[in-house]
Amino acid sequence: MYDRLAIIEKQYQDAQDKLSSGKLDVKEMTKLLKESSAMEETVEAYRFFKVKSQELEDLENMIDQETDEDVIEMVKLEIESLKEIINNTEEKIKILLLPKDPNDEKNVIVDIKGAAGGDEGNIFAGDLFRMYSKFAEIKGWKIEVLNEIEGAMGGFTTIEFMISGKGVYSQLKYESGTHRVQRVPETESMGRIHTSTATVLIMPEAEEIDLEIKWDDIRVDTYNSQGPGGQSVNTTKSAVRLTYIPTGLMVACQVGKSQHENKATAFKLLKTRLFDSILEEQAAKVGAERKALIGRGDRSEKIRTYNYPQNRVSDHRIGLTLQRLDAIIEGRLDLILEPLLNEFQKRQLIGDVK
């Protein structure tokens, strides 16, 4: 492990030297900045580890030469404290050295659909959108709605939106799946608890280098924007539907003010969905993430239950139950995401998942 860390440190320093030389073009500089940024945290942890290890060695040499019992006792306490710091740093380094998902730093496009439960499923989809929006606000991320169709009683039959910021995919990639809600709907006159669901799909944003799509392979259709229940809400055909002819994949956008704006947004959606389908194929071939209880997830997998009467949220993949629904639905999603990430990293360390 330490040989590997020494190599990473040298690569990082070489990149820093080149960046400070002032002799790079924009493309080379962008590439080196990205590479050095990916190594920075690991190098800093390794350098901290080396400093503390040297301090420990110095103290151990000192105690061998010291005769004053009071000083020896103080040094022993300092040694124990340093050993704990070094052990914790070593564990952190092990996690930093785990294989990185190349998409972790990407923005994401989130697709939420109301599923079982009719109007209540759509309302719950709206609640999930609000939860992710609140979480994004806490994290300092930006949200942009790309497409939406409102439910007749509120919420959304479908909503697609982009979340932009640092490391968004790394934190939200485990959210794909079926989210279940148990509560008394506002439309329920008898006070009975209903169970409804909404599905969530998290997709890393496709970049230009990820795949190339030709407009010759895309059919463009325009239509009037629709409101709740599917009724037309304007008389101009500003909404755009794109169909990728080779696969039949279809996306639509109607939130923009113009056909041109909706076409550009729909193309972004199309690229991301095609990129996500490629990732799905790769994951299926490798099999590792599909075998893991927490991985990319798909819409058919029930991952979480939100029980309002008991203020309870349960994540079924890791057996986590929290009586903090009120906080989580207001954006404190880290209460669930951190245990999920810790569990995934633990399984990587013991070799259960790559």
Side-chain angles (χ1 to χ4, degrees), residues 93-147:
I93 289 171
K94 287 178 182 178
I95 290 173
L96 288 170
L97 288 175
L98 289 171
K100 299 285 193 301
D101 186 328
N103 297 308
D104 273 352
E105 293 303 313
K106 290 187 176 182
N107 301 327
V108 302
I109 288 179
V110 185
D111 178 7
I112 303 177
K113 293 187 186 318
D119 290 334
E120 174 63 10
N122 294 339
I123 292 169
F124 181 48
D127 294 337
L128 291 177
F129 169 65
R130 182 174 177 275
M131 178 183 74
Y132 291 120
S133 299
K134 290 277 189 180
F135 181 62
E137 184 181 337
I138 291 169
K139 301 292 290 186
W141 296 338
K142 178 186 175 185
I143 279 195
E144 176 190 0
V145 174
L146 303 177
N147 190 44

Side-chain angles (χ1 to χ4, degrees), residues 188-207:
E188 171 56 58
S189 59
M190 304 296 290
R192 293 172 296 189
I193 295 175
H194 286 221
T195 298
S196 306
T197 63
T199 59
V200 175
L201 181 61
I202 307 290
M203 299 171 285
E205 182 190 11
E207 299 173 359

Side-chain angles (χ1 to χ4, degrees), residues 64 66 83 110 134 137 142 154 170 186 190 200-201 204 218 237 249 275 281 290 294-295 301 314 349-350:
D64 289 338
E66 186 59 56
K83 283 182 176 178
V110 185
K134 290 277 189 180
E137 184 181 337
K142 178 186 175 185
S170 68
E186 293 180 9
M190 304 296 290
V200 175
L201 181 61
I218 300 173
K237 293 188 175 182
L249 177 65
F275 181 54
E281 289 175 9
R290 287 298 180 189
I294 53 174
E301 180 190 5
S314 299
L349 285 169
I350 64 177

Side-chain angles (χ1 to χ4, degrees), residues 35-198:
E35 289 176 356
S36 62
S37 177
M39 294 185 283
E40 187 173 17
E41 190 176 2
T42 303
V43 171
E44 286 180 354
Y46 177 48
R47 287 174 175 173
F48 180 78
F49 173 82
K50 288 194 295 181
V51 168
K52 294 303 174 184
S53 296
Q54 185 60 56
E55 289 179 12
L56 178 62
E57 184 179 334
D58 293 343
L59 286 175
E60 288 174 337
N61 290 333
M62 177 181 171
I63 207 169
D64 289 338
Q65 301 168 14
E66 186 59 56
T67 56
D68 188 309
E69 290 298 325
D70 289 338
V71 174
I72 290 174
E73 192 60 33
M74 288 176 61
V75 172
K76 283 182 177 179
L77 290 172
E78 183 65 21
I79 285 174
E80 289 305 309
S81 176
L82 270 174
K83 283 182 176 178
E84 183 178 356
I85 291 171
I86 289 168
N87 287 337
N88 290 339
T89 304
E90 197 169 29
E91 289 304 309
K92 178 182 178 181
I93 289 171
K94 287 178 182 178
I95 290 173
L96 288 170
L97 288 175
L98 289 171
K100 299 285 193 301
D101 186 328
N103 297 308
D104 273 352
E105 293 303 313
K106 290 187 176 182
N107 301 327
V108 302
I109 288 179
V110 185
D111 178 7
I112 303 177
K113 293 187 186 318
D119 290 334
E120 174 63 10
N122 294 339
I123 292 169
F124 181 48
D127 294 337
L128 291 177
F129 169 65
R130 182 174 177 275
M131 178 183 74
Y132 291 120
S133 299
K134 290 277 189 180
F135 181 62
E137 184 181 337
I138 291 169
K139 301 292 290 186
W141 296 338
K142 178 186 175 185
I143 279 195
E144 176 190 0
V145 174
L146 303 177
N147 190 44
E148 65 179 43
I149 300 177
E150 296 179 357
M153 300 295 291
F156 303 96
T157 60
T158 183
I159 182 166
E160 295 166 289
F161 55 99
M162 176 176 284
I163 306 180
S164 308
K166 183 175 174 57
V168 179
Y169 184 70
S170 68
Q171 297 193 51
L172 292 180
K173 61 184 175 182
Y174 304 127
E175 289 299 288
S176 291
T178 297
H179 295 239
R180 182 174 68 171
V181 63
Q182 295 173 327
R183 63 185 176 190
V184 179
E186 293 180 9
T187 55
E188 171 56 58
S189 59
M190 304 296 290
R192 293 172 296 189
I193 295 175
H194 286 221
T195 298
S196 306
T197 63

